[in-house]
Amino acid sequence: QSFFDRLNELYPDLSPNDRKLCALIRLNLDTKETAAVLDISPESAKVARHRLRKKLNLTSEQNLASFLSAI
């Protein structure tokens, strides 16, 4: 719960789907596992991760899972 509170505090513009994706990434699910949970194709999951990186203003050098784990 505190993860979502902190995420909402830092990034209030994230959609509910973005928050769900953040939680799945934080659980260390890979793209295929994330796609299965969200009932979307692996390619769509990859695009969603890319868009999430842009929304979080992450550079290509920053690891998304590590970033979310630190929140």
Side-chain angles (χ1 to χ4, degrees):
Q1 181 63 38
S2 64
F3 169 71
F4 286 112
D5 293 339
R6 185 97 170 105
L7 192 62
N8 286 335
E9 181 183 312
L10 294 171
Y11 302 98
D13 295 335
L14 291 180
S15 71
N17 284 338
D18 291 333
R19 290 187 195 98
K20 193 182 302 183
L21 181 59
C22 286
L24 294 174
I25 293 169
R26 189 162 192 243
L27 292 172
N28 292 322
L29 297 185
D30 65 18
T31 305
K32 285 184 180 180
E33 293 168 328
T34 301
V37 171
L38 296 177
D39 198 27
I40 58 177
S41 72
E43 187 61 33
S44 295
K46 191 182 278 189
V47 170
R49 287 176 65 105
H50 177 73
R51 289 182 179 152
L52 181 61
R53 290 180 66 84
K54 288 178 106 176
K55 289 181 181 181
L56 297 176
N57 298 316
L58 296 181
T59 65
S60 58
E61 293 84 32
Q62 290 176 288
N63 184 302
L64 182 57
S66 298
F67 175 81
L68 291 173
S69 293
I71 291 180

